Amino acid sequence: MEEGEEVLGSRLTMEKVAAAKQFIENHYRAQMKNIQERKERRWVLERKLASSDVPKEEQISLIKDLERKETEFMRLKRHKICVDDFELLTIIGRGAFGEVQLCREKKSGNIYAMKKLKKTEMLKRGQVEHVRAERNLLAEVASHCIVKLYYSFQDAEYLYLIMEYLPGGDMMTLLMREDTLTENVARFYIAQSVLAIESIHKHNYIHRDIKPDNLLLDKNGHMKLSDFGEPMDIDGCFPDTDNKSSWKSPREQLQHWQMNRRKLAFSTVGTPDYIAPEVLLKKGYGMECDWWSLGAIMYEMLVGYPPFYADDPITTCRKIVHWRNHVKFPEDSRLSPEAKDLIYRLLCDVEHRLGTGGAHQIKAHPWFRDIVWDRLYEMEAAFKPEVRGELDTQNFMKFDESDPPAAARTGSGPLRKALLTPKDLSFVGYTYKNFDAVKGLREFKRSLSEKQPSTDSIFSDSGPDDTTKQTAEETDTHMFSSSGSV
């Protein structure tokens, strides 16, 4: 063996050792967590029943139902989920690293959105940590403001996230259809965005790339935060000089944005229009960068195009960095003084930006004076999307369904382990299964709610349609199990 091959072999061996160590630690941590969560679910149910008027016989029946669900969940956890468990339907999103597709789980018939990410592209562009953070965020943050994650798994070429399907489309599509929103409609969605951002900040996550494409609407028009795309690669932006191009008239600016926004929706380039200056400059940033993005989105909702829009991404980056020269409103804009003030206080330097001290600073702004924050997801939404069933995709962009032929599958079992590469080692611990994914769990929760009209669902304490607080993870074992499944 030559010296170079020996070094490479040694490095791969060390990476496998590190992966094995991580697997063992994750496995036992998950085992303890699963036992504790199962006890908590039982305890919560018994506590709810003890304070209710449910007859003793029905209480026993409900406890047996929970035990049955727990058994089903244990069976689900043992099953090695793969892409073959789903019937792939319509493509509803496409990005640089993969695509999002409507799918049906073959066993249960449930409809989901499947996000598929190509491993080699993420490694090449240094996005491993970003995709890990997204998976962890969706798995850990239990909030009705965040899209729900049911499963995550992987194969030799791709990572997969199986999420709830929100048929109302995204804010980008709504804005392209409506041009601008009234202040009342914008206030509703900006307020729901505040709650969504607050919920991830409470778990010490920074989104960094909030944009209309990532604000999804459910069938009733309520908004949930997701990340169906990927953060833009900002290395190609050189914001070192100010922009000298002339400012177009508001009408020209709006027309140019509408035309190019449609092109960007189908491209893998993306747009930097919502990225905070401190992120572009790479001089260190914190959670407050998400509030800048919210300010840019609010501006677009009310004016019709983002505040720093230009003909090309580099000029946009320069405008953002030199924001003091470019945060302005068209002369014919009819925004209320409170709306302008809020935008000014979000699109500013970090030291003076609202939200730097917490979401409560934004909630207290006069523009939100009539918002009842703790009932926002219970009231009728400001916009009701047209949805004709669970498979309806009319509120999403249309994509070419043609797909390049799939690469030959890497072997499983001993052969799979023999072919293990650093690409696989980068994604150890990606597998996840949510207790809420158990078939029939929603019916169980609904029946419990009907029996106890005065109490909330036992599995949620954060509002309607909230994701299950008690979830469980299963660490990837494809390197250590004889099945070779991932």
Side-chain angles (χ1 to χ4, degrees):
M1 180 183 292
E2 295 183 5
E3 184 177 347
E5 293 178 345
E6 189 174 330
V7 171
L8 180 61
S10 176
R11 185 185 309 133
L12 185 56
T13 299
M14 293 303 294
E15 289 176 345
K16 286 186 178 182
V17 169
K21 180 176 181 291
Q22 183 180 342
F23 162 73
I24 294 169
E25 291 175 349
N26 288 352
H27 176 74
Y28 285 104
R29 188 183 303 118
Q31 286 288 93
M32 296 303 295
K33 182 180 178 184
N34 293 342
I35 294 170
Q36 182 61 33
E37 287 172 347
R38 184 165 184 159
K39 288 179 179 177
E40 286 178 3
R41 284 192 286 268
R42 175 71 177 243
W43 178 78
V44 170
L45 175 57
E46 290 177 343
R47 187 184 63 174
K48 292 284 187 182
L49 292 175
S51 61
S52 71
D53 298 326
V54 178
K56 190 68 176 178
E57 296 78 13
E58 290 188 32
Q59 290 190 25
I60 294 172
S61 175
L62 286 170
I63 290 174
K64 286 183 177 179
D65 278 344
L66 177 61
E67 290 172 350
R68 179 172 54 83
K69 297 301 174 192
E70 295 288 3
T71 302
E72 289 181 25
F73 186 47
M74 292 298 292
R75 191 176 297 119
L76 172 67
K77 284 167 58 184
R78 288 193 294 269
H79 172 65
K80 303 297 181 183
I81 297 177
C82 69
V83 69
D84 293 335
D85 291 323
F86 301 88
E87 177 189 356
L88 305 182
L89 304 171
T90 310
I91 297 174
I92 57 175
R94 185 171 279 152
F97 306 144
E99 61 190 21
V100 180
Q101 199 161 0
L102 191 67
C103 68
R104 179 188 285 112
E105 188 175 21
K106 293 177 182 177
K107 186 176 180 180
S108 68
N110 292 336
I111 301 300
Y112 298 113
M114 173 189 285
K115 181 174 181 178
K116 184 173 76 171
L117 300 167
K118 195 167 182 63
K119 289 180 179 180
T120 51
E121 286 299 314
M122 288 184 291
L123 286 166
K124 188 190 305 179
R125 304 192 189 198
Q127 293 298 319
V128 174
E129 289 307 314
H130 170 76
V131 77
R132 273 188 176 281
E134 178 186 23
R135 177 262 187 216
N136 292 341
L137 188 154
L138 292 174
E140 293 176 23
V141 178
S143 170
H144 50 280
C145 312
I146 305 295
V147 67
K148 187 183 296 185
L149 174 68
Y150 289 95
Y151 310 110
S152 62
F153 55 93
Q154 61 178 295
D155 59 26
E157 300 299 323
Y158 294 96
L159 299 176
Y160 300 88
L161 293 167
I162 306 297
M163 299 175 284
E164 65 177 318
Y165 172 53
L166 301 176
D170 57 37
M171 188 57 60
M172 180 195 72
T173 306
L174 177 61
L175 289 174
M176 286 166 52
R177 186 184 302 151
E178 300 294 323
D179 292 342
T180 59
L181 304 180
T182 65
E183 285 202 27
N184 283 336
V185 174
R187 183 171 14 251
F188 178 83
Y189 286 117
I190 292 296
Q192 291 200 330
S193 300
V194 169
L195 294 180
I197 296 170
E198 181 183 32
S199 69
I200 66 172
H201 286 183
K202 283 180 178 177
H203 287 75
N204 296 315
Y205 284 104
I206 306 172
H207 195 292
R208 201 194 76 166
D209 192 34
I210 294 173
K211 53 190 176 184
D213 318 43
N214 295 333
L215 304 179
L216 307 182
L217 303 180
D218 67 16
K219 64 181 180 180
N220 297 315
H222 287 279
M223 200 248 12
K224 297 192 179 190
L225 179 61
S226 182
D227 186 7
F228 274 20
E230 301 84 29
M232 180 183 174
D233 181 4
I234 59 178
D235 289 335
C237 300
F238 303 101
D240 51 357
T241 59
D242 204 352
N243 173 55
K244 304 299 184 193
S245 61
S246 60
W247 179 266
K248 295 180 175 65
S249 71
R251 180 172 294 277
E252 289 176 319
Q253 189 86 349
L254 177 59
Q255 291 173 344
H256 197 272
W257 168 249
Q258 290 171 334
M259 180 179 66
N260 284 275
R261 191 64 172 99
R262 292 183 183 275
K263 292 179 182 177
L264 287 168
F266 289 94
S267 76
T268 59
V269 176
T271 170
D273 283 275
Y274 314 97
I275 299 177
E278 60 267 24
V279 176
L280 287 176
L281 291 171
K282 298 183 177 180
K283 292 183 177 178
Y285 56 88
M287 296 177 184
E288 54 280 343
C289 71
D290 289 337
W291 300 123
W292 171 285
S293 301
L294 188 67
I297 292 170
M298 179 179 168
Y299 183 103
E300 181 181 353
M301 285 179 174
L302 298 175
V303 175
Y305 51 84
F308 309 103
Y309 176 63
D311 296 356
D312 63 273
I314 292 178
T315 305
T316 296
C317 289
R318 289 171 178 160
K319 281 186 170 185
I320 292 172
V321 170
H322 299 277
W323 57 268
R324 289 177 177 83
N325 301 329
H326 300 285
V327 179
K328 56 182 71 173
F329 295 91
E331 292 181 3
D332 60 350
S333 65
R334 299 181 178 178
L335 277 65
S336 67
E338 292 84 2
K340 288 184 178 181
D341 181 74
L342 178 55
I343 291 172
Y344 279 132
R345 298 185 69 180
L346 292 173
L347 300 179
C348 63
D349 57 76
V350 173
E351 290 75 17
H352 299 95
R353 191 177 305 161
L354 275 188
T356 299
H360 65 277
Q361 294 179 332
I362 299 174
K363 291 179 178 180
H365 191 276
W367 195 62
F368 293 117
R369 71 168 61 91
D370 296 324
I371 292 293
V372 182
W373 292 97
D374 58 352
R375 299 187 64 84
L376 199 54
Y377 276 81
E378 298 173 24
M379 61 187 293
E380 185 176 343
F383 168 77
K384 176 83 172 182
E386 182 179 348
V387 178
R388 303 195 193 103
E390 62 178 1
L391 295 178
D392 190 0
T393 60
Q394 66 173 306
N395 294 306
F396 288 91
M397 291 288 185
K398 305 299 179 187
F399 291 87
D400 182 8
E401 296 291 331
S402 62
D403 202 27
R409 290 203 173 199
T410 307
S412 62
L415 177 59
R416 173 76 177 90
K417 286 184 273 188
L419 296 174
L420 194 66
T421 67
K423 176 179 68 177
D424 301 289
L425 298 174
S426 298
F427 301 104
V428 171
Y430 193 77
T431 299
Y432 168 84
K433 292 165 188 171
N434 191 324
F435 184 69
D436 220 13
V438 178
K439 184 180 179 182
L441 178 61
R442 290 185 180 183
E443 286 72 20
F444 169 59
K445 291 162 70 175
R446 192 178 299 115
S447 67
L448 178 63
S449 178
E450 290 169 356
K451 289 175 172 38
Q452 302 180 85
S454 63
T455 60
D456 296 327
S457 165
I458 64 165
F459 300 114
S460 171
D461 61 6
S462 299
D465 298 324
D466 195 11
T467 191
T468 304
K469 280 281 193 181
Q470 293 79 24
T471 57
E473 297 182 48
E474 176 191 41
T475 307
D476 286 311
T477 60
H478 64 282
M479 290 177 289
F480 308 100
S481 68
S482 58
S483 69
S485 301
V486 287

Short mmCIF file of all heavy atoms in Angstrom, two decimals, residues 317-357:
data_model
loop_
_atom_site.label_atom_id
_atom_site.label_comp_id
_atom_site.label_asym_id
_atom_site.label_seq_id
_atom_site.Cartn_x
_atom_site.Cartn_y
_atom_site.Cartn_z
N CYS A 317 -26.93 43.07 -3.00
CA CYS A 317 -26.07 42.93 -1.83
C CYS A 317 -25.43 44.26 -1.44
O CYS A 317 -25.35 44.61 -0.26
CB CYS A 317 -24.98 41.89 -2.10
SG CYS A 317 -25.58 40.19 -2.19
N ARG A 318 -24.98 45.00 -2.43
CA ARG A 318 -24.37 46.31 -2.15
C ARG A 318 -25.38 47.27 -1.53
O ARG A 318 -25.06 48.02 -0.61
CB ARG A 318 -23.81 46.89 -3.44
CG ARG A 318 -22.57 46.15 -3.94
CD ARG A 318 -22.17 46.60 -5.33
NE ARG A 318 -20.95 45.92 -5.77
CZ ARG A 318 -20.57 45.81 -7.03
NH1 ARG A 318 -21.32 46.34 -7.98
NH2 ARG A 318 -19.46 45.18 -7.36
N LYS A 319 -26.61 47.23 -2.04
CA LYS A 319 -27.65 48.09 -1.47
C LYS A 319 -27.92 47.73 -0.01
O LYS A 319 -28.12 48.61 0.83
CB LYS A 319 -28.94 47.94 -2.28
CG LYS A 319 -28.99 48.71 -3.58
CD LYS A 319 -30.40 48.59 -4.18
CE LYS A 319 -30.57 49.53 -5.35
NZ LYS A 319 -31.97 49.49 -5.85
N ILE A 320 -27.96 46.43 0.27
CA ILE A 320 -28.24 45.99 1.64
C ILE A 320 -27.15 46.45 2.59
O ILE A 320 -27.42 46.96 3.69
CB ILE A 320 -28.40 44.46 1.69
CG1 ILE A 320 -29.67 44.04 0.96
CG2 ILE A 320 -28.43 43.96 3.14
CD1 ILE A 320 -29.81 42.53 0.77
N VAL A 321 -25.89 46.29 2.18
CA VAL A 321 -24.78 46.71 3.03
C VAL A 321 -24.80 48.21 3.26
O VAL A 321 -24.48 48.70 4.34
CB VAL A 321 -23.44 46.25 2.41
CG1 VAL A 321 -22.27 46.87 3.14
CG2 VAL A 321 -23.33 44.73 2.46
N HIS A 322 -25.20 48.95 2.24
CA HIS A 322 -25.30 50.42 2.35
C HIS A 322 -26.76 50.82 2.52
O HIS A 322 -27.26 51.74 1.87
CB HIS A 322 -24.69 51.08 1.10
CG HIS A 322 -23.23 50.76 0.91
ND1 HIS A 322 -22.22 51.44 1.55
CD2 HIS A 322 -22.63 49.81 0.17
CE1 HIS A 322 -21.04 50.94 1.21
NE2 HIS A 322 -21.26 49.94 0.36
N TRP A 323 -27.43 50.12 3.43
CA TRP A 323 -28.87 50.27 3.59
C TRP A 323 -29.31 51.69 3.93
O TRP A 323 -30.42 52.11 3.60
CB TRP A 323 -29.38 49.30 4.66
CG TRP A 323 -28.70 49.45 6.00
CD1 TRP A 323 -27.61 48.80 6.45
CD2 TRP A 323 -29.09 50.34 7.05
NE1 TRP A 323 -27.27 49.20 7.72
CE2 TRP A 323 -28.18 50.15 8.11
CE3 TRP A 323 -30.14 51.25 7.22
CZ2 TRP A 323 -28.26 50.86 9.31
CZ3 TRP A 323 -30.23 51.96 8.40
CH2 TRP A 323 -29.30 51.76 9.43
N ARG A 324 -28.47 52.46 4.60
CA ARG A 324 -28.84 53.83 4.99
C ARG A 324 -29.21 54.69 3.79
O ARG A 324 -30.01 55.62 3.91
CB ARG A 324 -27.70 54.49 5.77
CG ARG A 324 -27.50 53.93 7.17
CD ARG A 324 -26.31 54.58 7.87
NE ARG A 324 -26.16 54.10 9.23
CZ ARG A 324 -25.55 52.97 9.57
NH1 ARG A 324 -25.04 52.20 8.61
NH2 ARG A 324 -25.45 52.60 10.84
N ASN A 325 -28.63 54.37 2.64
CA ASN A 325 -28.90 55.15 1.43
C ASN A 325 -30.11 54.62 0.66
O ASN A 325 -30.53 55.25 -0.32
CB ASN A 325 -27.69 55.12 0.49
CG ASN A 325 -26.44 55.68 1.13
OD1 ASN A 325 -26.53 56.57 1.98
ND2 ASN A 325 -25.28 55.17 0.75
N HIS A 326 -30.66 53.50 1.09
CA HIS A 326 -31.67 52.85 0.24
C HIS A 326 -32.97 52.48 0.94
O HIS A 326 -33.91 52.04 0.27
CB HIS A 326 -31.07 51.58 -0.40
CG HIS A 326 -29.87 51.86 -1.24
ND1 HIS A 326 -29.95 52.43 -2.49
CD2 HIS A 326 -28.55 51.66 -1.00
CE1 HIS A 326 -28.74 52.57 -2.99
NE2 HIS A 326 -27.87 52.11 -2.10
N VAL A 327 -33.06 52.62 2.26
CA VAL A 327 -34.34 52.37 2.93
C VAL A 327 -35.21 53.60 2.74
O VAL A 327 -35.09 54.58 3.48
CB VAL A 327 -34.14 52.07 4.44
CG1 VAL A 327 -35.50 51.84 5.10
CG2 VAL A 327 -33.27 50.83 4.61
N LYS A 328 -36.06 53.54 1.74
CA LYS A 328 -36.94 54.66 1.43
C LYS A 328 -38.23 54.11 0.84
O LYS A 328 -38.29 52.97 0.39
CB LYS A 328 -36.27 55.63 0.45
CG LYS A 328 -35.81 54.96 -0.84
CD LYS A 328 -35.10 55.95 -1.76
CE LYS A 328 -33.74 56.34 -1.23
NZ LYS A 328 -32.96 57.17 -2.16
N PHE A 329 -39.27 54.93 0.84
CA PHE A 329 -40.57 54.51 0.33
C PHE A 329 -40.93 55.34 -0.91
O PHE A 329 -40.58 56.52 -0.99
CB PHE A 329 -41.66 54.71 1.40
CG PHE A 329 -41.46 53.83 2.61
CD1 PHE A 329 -40.72 54.28 3.70
CD2 PHE A 329 -42.01 52.56 2.65
CE1 PHE A 329 -40.53 53.48 4.81
CE2 PHE A 329 -41.83 51.75 3.76
CZ PHE A 329 -41.09 52.21 4.84
N PRO A 330 -41.61 54.73 -1.88
CA PRO A 330 -42.07 55.50 -3.05
C PRO A 330 -42.96 56.66 -2.60
O PRO A 330 -43.68 56.55 -1.60
CB PRO A 330 -42.89 54.46 -3.85
CG PRO A 330 -42.39 53.13 -3.39
CD PRO A 330 -42.00 53.30 -1.95
N GLU A 331 -42.89 57.75 -3.33
CA GLU A 331 -43.65 58.94 -2.94
C GLU A 331 -45.15 58.70 -2.91
O GLU A 331 -45.87 59.33 -2.13
CB GLU A 331 -43.32 60.10 -3.90
CG GLU A 331 -41.89 60.60 -3.76
CD GLU A 331 -41.60 61.76 -4.70
OE1 GLU A 331 -42.55 62.19 -5.41
OE2 GLU A 331 -40.46 62.23 -4.73
N ASP A 332 -45.62 57.79 -3.78
CA ASP A 332 -47.07 57.57 -3.84
C ASP A 332 -47.55 56.45 -2.91
O ASP A 332 -48.70 56.04 -2.96
CB ASP A 332 -47.50 57.26 -5.27
CG ASP A 332 -46.82 56.00 -5.82
OD1 ASP A 332 -45.89 55.50 -5.16
OD2 ASP A 332 -47.22 55.52 -6.90
N SER A 333 -46.66 55.95 -2.06
CA SER A 333 -47.08 54.88 -1.14
C SER A 333 -48.00 55.46 -0.07
O SER A 333 -47.82 56.59 0.39
CB SER A 333 -45.86 54.23 -0.48
OG SER A 333 -45.18 55.16 0.34
N ARG A 334 -49.00 54.68 0.32
CA ARG A 334 -49.99 55.15 1.28
C ARG A 334 -49.92 54.36 2.57
O ARG A 334 -50.95 53.97 3.14
CB ARG A 334 -51.39 55.06 0.67
CG ARG A 334 -51.55 55.91 -0.58
CD ARG A 334 -52.96 55.81 -1.15
NE ARG A 334 -53.13 56.66 -2.31
CZ ARG A 334 -54.26 56.74 -3.03
NH1 ARG A 334 -55.31 56.00 -2.66
NH2 ARG A 334 -54.35 57.53 -4.08
N LEU A 335 -48.74 54.12 3.04
CA LEU A 335 -48.55 53.36 4.27
C LEU A 335 -48.83 54.25 5.48
O LEU A 335 -48.56 55.45 5.46
CB LEU A 335 -47.12 52.82 4.36
CG LEU A 335 -46.82 51.52 3.62
CD1 LEU A 335 -46.98 51.70 2.12
CD2 LEU A 335 -45.42 51.05 3.94
N SER A 336 -49.35 53.64 6.52
CA SER A 336 -49.59 54.37 7.76
C SER A 336 -48.25 54.73 8.40
O SER A 336 -47.24 54.05 8.17
CB SER A 336 -50.40 53.52 8.73
OG SER A 336 -49.63 52.40 9.16
N PRO A 337 -48.21 55.79 9.20
CA PRO A 337 -46.96 56.15 9.89
C PRO A 337 -46.44 55.01 10.76
O PRO A 337 -45.23 54.81 10.87
CB PRO A 337 -47.36 57.36 10.74
CG PRO A 337 -48.56 57.94 10.05
CD PRO A 337 -49.28 56.77 9.46
N GLU A 338 -47.36 54.24 11.37
CA GLU A 338 -46.93 53.12 12.23
C GLU A 338 -46.25 52.03 11.41
O GLU A 338 -45.26 51.44 11.86
CB GLU A 338 -48.15 52.53 12.96
CG GLU A 338 -48.77 53.44 13.99
CD GLU A 338 -49.76 54.42 13.39
OE1 GLU A 338 -49.98 54.37 12.15
OE2 GLU A 338 -50.30 55.25 14.15
N ALA A 339 -46.77 51.75 10.21
CA ALA A 339 -46.17 50.72 9.35
C ALA A 339 -44.77 51.14 8.93
O ALA A 339 -43.82 50.34 8.98
CB ALA A 339 -47.05 50.46 8.13
N LYS A 340 -44.62 52.37 8.50
CA LYS A 340 -43.29 52.87 8.10
C LYS A 340 -42.32 52.82 9.26
O LYS A 340 -41.15 52.43 9.10
CB LYS A 340 -43.41 54.31 7.56
CG LYS A 340 -44.07 54.42 6.19
CD LYS A 340 -44.04 55.87 5.70
CE LYS A 340 -44.63 56.00 4.31
NZ LYS A 340 -44.58 57.40 3.82
N ASP A 341 -42.79 53.22 10.43
CA ASP A 341 -41.91 53.24 11.60
C ASP A 341 -41.42 51.84 11.94
O ASP A 341 -40.23 51.65 12.24
CB ASP A 341 -42.66 53.83 12.81
CG ASP A 341 -41.79 53.89 14.05
OD1 ASP A 341 -40.89 54.75 14.10
OD2 ASP A 341 -41.99 53.06 14.95
N LEU A 342 -42.31 50.85 11.87
CA LEU A 342 -41.90 49.48 12.18
C LEU A 342 -40.86 48.99 11.18
O LEU A 342 -39.86 48.38 11.56
CB LEU A 342 -43.11 48.55 12.18
CG LEU A 342 -42.82 47.07 12.45
CD1 LEU A 342 -42.06 46.89 13.77
CD2 LEU A 342 -44.11 46.25 12.46
N ILE A 343 -41.08 49.28 9.90
CA ILE A 343 -40.11 48.86 8.87
C ILE A 343 -38.76 49.53 9.12
O ILE A 343 -37.71 48.88 9.06
CB ILE A 343 -40.64 49.20 7.46
CG1 ILE A 343 -41.84 48.29 7.13
CG2 ILE A 343 -39.54 49.04 6.40
CD1 ILE A 343 -42.58 48.66 5.86
N TYR A 344 -38.78 50.83 9.39
CA TYR A 344 -37.53 51.55 9.69
C TYR A 344 -36.80 50.94 10.89
O TYR A 344 -35.57 50.89 10.93
CB TYR A 344 -37.81 53.02 9.97
CG TYR A 344 -37.99 53.88 8.74
CD1 TYR A 344 -39.08 54.76 8.63
CD2 TYR A 344 -37.08 53.84 7.69
CE1 TYR A 344 -39.26 55.56 7.51
CE2 TYR A 344 -37.25 54.65 6.56
CZ TYR A 344 -38.34 55.50 6.47
OH TYR A 344 -38.50 56.29 5.35
N ARG A 345 -37.57 50.46 11.87
CA ARG A 345 -36.95 49.95 13.10
C ARG A 345 -36.55 48.48 12.99
O ARG A 345 -35.94 47.94 13.91
CB ARG A 345 -37.90 50.18 14.27
CG ARG A 345 -38.18 51.67 14.50
CD ARG A 345 -39.02 51.93 15.71
NE ARG A 345 -38.29 51.62 16.95
CZ ARG A 345 -38.80 51.77 18.16
NH1 ARG A 345 -40.04 52.22 18.30
NH2 ARG A 345 -38.10 51.46 19.23
N LEU A 346 -36.91 47.85 11.88
CA LEU A 346 -36.43 46.50 11.60
C LEU A 346 -35.27 46.52 10.61
O LEU A 346 -34.32 45.74 10.73
CB LEU A 346 -37.57 45.63 11.03
CG LEU A 346 -38.72 45.29 12.00
CD1 LEU A 346 -39.85 44.58 11.26
CD2 LEU A 346 -38.22 44.44 13.17
N LEU A 347 -35.33 47.43 9.64
CA LEU A 347 -34.26 47.57 8.66
C LEU A 347 -33.28 48.64 9.12
O LEU A 347 -33.25 49.75 8.60
CB LEU A 347 -34.84 47.92 7.28
CG LEU A 347 -35.83 46.91 6.69
CD1 LEU A 347 -36.35 47.38 5.34
CD2 LEU A 347 -35.17 45.54 6.54
N CYS A 348 -32.51 48.29 10.13
CA CYS A 348 -31.54 49.24 10.69
C CYS A 348 -30.38 48.45 11.28
O CYS A 348 -30.35 47.22 11.20
CB CYS A 348 -32.21 50.13 11.74
SG CYS A 348 -32.84 49.22 13.17
N ASP A 349 -29.43 49.14 11.90
CA ASP A 349 -28.29 48.44 12.47
C ASP A 349 -28.73 47.61 13.67
O ASP A 349 -29.77 47.86 14.29
CB ASP A 349 -27.18 49.42 12.87
CG ASP A 349 -27.68 50.47 13.84
OD1 ASP A 349 -27.85 50.14 15.03
OD2 ASP A 349 -27.92 51.62 13.40
N VAL A 350 -27.94 46.61 13.99
CA VAL A 350 -28.31 45.63 15.02
C VAL A 350 -28.58 46.30 16.36
O VAL A 350 -29.52 45.94 17.08
CB VAL A 350 -27.19 44.57 15.17
CG1 VAL A 350 -27.47 43.65 16.35
CG2 VAL A 350 -27.06 43.76 13.89
N GLU A 351 -27.78 47.28 16.72
CA GLU A 351 -27.89 47.91 18.04
C GLU A 351 -29.25 48.55 18.26
O GLU A 351 -29.75 48.63 19.39
CB GLU A 351 -26.80 48.98 18.22
CG GLU A 351 -25.39 48.41 18.35
CD GLU A 351 -24.82 47.93 17.03
OE1 GLU A 351 -25.37 48.33 15.96
OE2 GLU A 351 -23.84 47.16 17.04
N HIS A 352 -29.88 49.03 17.18
CA HIS A 352 -31.16 49.73 17.32
C HIS A 352 -32.34 48.92 16.78
O HIS A 352 -33.47 49.40 16.80
CB HIS A 352 -31.10 51.08 16.59
CG HIS A 352 -30.05 52.01 17.12
ND1 HIS A 352 -28.79 52.12 16.57
CD2 HIS A 352 -30.05 52.85 18.19
CE1 HIS A 352 -28.07 53.00 17.25
NE2 HIS A 352 -28.80 53.45 18.25
N ARG A 353 -32.10 47.72 16.32
CA ARG A 353 -33.15 46.93 15.67
C ARG A 353 -34.13 46.37 16.69
O ARG A 353 -33.72 45.77 17.70
CB ARG A 353 -32.52 45.79 14.86
CG ARG A 353 -33.50 45.07 13.92
CD ARG A 353 -32.76 44.01 13.12
NE ARG A 353 -31.64 44.58 12.38
CZ ARG A 353 -30.62 43.88 11.90
NH1 ARG A 353 -30.59 42.57 12.09
NH2 ARG A 353 -29.65 44.47 11.24
N LEU A 354 -35.42 46.54 16.43
CA LEU A 354 -36.43 45.92 17.28
C LEU A 354 -36.28 44.41 17.22
O LEU A 354 -36.03 43.85 16.15
CB LEU A 354 -37.83 46.31 16.81
CG LEU A 354 -38.43 47.63 17.30
CD1 LEU A 354 -39.90 47.72 16.88
CD2 LEU A 354 -38.32 47.78 18.80
N GLY A 355 -36.45 43.74 18.34
CA GLY A 355 -36.32 42.30 18.38
C GLY A 355 -34.99 41.84 18.93
O GLY A 355 -34.85 40.69 19.36
N THR A 356 -33.99 42.75 18.93
CA THR A 356 -32.68 42.39 19.46
C THR A 356 -32.79 42.01 20.94
O THR A 356 -32.07 41.13 21.42
CB THR A 356 -31.68 43.55 19.28
OG1 THR A 356 -31.54 43.83 17.88
CG2 THR A 356 -30.32 43.21 19.86
N GLY A 357 -33.71 42.64 21.65
CA GLY A 357 -33.93 42.32 23.06
C GLY A 357 -35.02 41.29 23.28
O GLY A 357 -35.38 41.01 24.42
#
